[in-house]
Amino acid sequence: SFVKDAVKKRCLERSHYGFQKNDIALDNRVKRFGSKTNHAKACNRVASNDIDKYMGKGLIGGLSKLDKNDYENMTVKGTCQVLEKEYLRLTAPPKAERVRPQPVMESHLKNLIKERASATVSRDYSWFCSQLKAIRQDLTVQRIFNNFAVLVYETHARIALQETDLNEYNQ
């Protein structure tokens, strides 16, 4: 038992989260996974600071750093005219035909506030929460950060507090 613990401790000292750190082990791992490059080339490629290619730079083109106009070109502009939309977590880049523009979201928020304030609320809290989260998501993917966005977040927070839903309030 003592010997096993000592060997285990020595192995952990030479490893990093279960992987050996030495160059021979890393080169063997690179060879095992079929890469034609050596360890140094692989490390240099991973450690490069050229992050722009992962941020859509290849789609935009050019050799300079991304600027505000480039990000504007990558921003989705919503075209969906449907008021009600259930919240779904995005698993792919958003499509313009599924994102509502701000005027549509504004009219839907007015309807939500009016319906929530009415004496005969026909919808449950989870429906309101889903609708507000969908509006927030549409705001985020379109990079809308204005007074309307603040109103949406405040409305959602107020309703969450009324329902004592602190998890939703903290979002």
Side-chain angles (χ1 to χ4, degrees), residues 50-103:
D50 188 15
I51 196 74
D52 288 339
K53 67 181 177 181
Y54 299 108
M55 296 297 296
K57 181 108 180 199
L59 299 173
I60 297 169
L63 299 173
S64 62
K65 291 276 187 196
L66 293 174
D67 64 6
K68 186 176 180 179
N69 291 331
D70 293 328
Y71 288 112
E72 285 297 323
N73 290 336
M74 288 188 284
T75 301
V76 174
K77 305 287 189 236
T79 60
C80 179
Q81 297 298 311
V82 178
L83 290 181
E84 287 187 23
K85 184 174 118 176
E86 291 294 317
Y87 169 76
L88 294 171
R89 187 178 299 275
L90 290 177
T91 58
K95 295 182 179 179
E97 61 270 9
R98 293 186 179 163
V99 177
R100 297 168 290 188
Q102 184 171 335

Side-chain angles (χ1 to χ4, degrees), residues 83-84 100 102-117 128 131-133 135-136 139 147-156 158-159:
L83 290 181
E84 287 187 23
R100 297 168 290 188
Q102 184 171 335
V104 173
M105 290 186 286
E106 286 173 352
S107 63
H108 187 43
L109 182 65
K110 286 178 190 172
N111 293 343
L112 289 173
I113 292 170
K114 197 182 307 179
E115 186 171 348
R116 181 77 183 171
F128 281 101
Q131 294 299 307
L132 289 164
K133 284 172 89 167
I135 292 174
R136 288 172 40 190
L139 289 169
N147 289 335
F148 173 66
V150 172
L151 178 62
V152 170
Y153 277 84
E154 286 176 349
T155 302
H156 196 182
R158 190 174 303 111
I159 292 172

Side-chain angles (χ1 to χ4, degrees), residues 7-34:
V7 170
K8 191 175 185 180
K9 183 179 179 185
R10 194 172 314 137
C11 287
L12 287 174
E13 288 172 356
R14 288 185 294 166
S15 68
H16 183 66
Y17 298 107
F19 296 104
Q20 292 182 352
K21 288 188 204 177
N22 65 31
D23 288 339
I24 294 169
L26 292 174
D27 283 335
N28 288 337
R29 194 172 302 118
V30 168
K31 288 176 191 171
R32 189 173 5 153
F33 290 106

Side-chain angles (χ1 to χ4, degrees), residues 26-46:
L26 292 174
D27 283 335
N28 288 337
R29 194 172 302 118
V30 168
K31 288 176 191 171
R32 189 173 5 153
F33 290 106
S35 176
K36 303 284 186 219
T37 62
N38 64 20
H39 169 254
K41 286 183 183 175
C43 285
N44 287 340
R45 190 176 39 209
V46 170

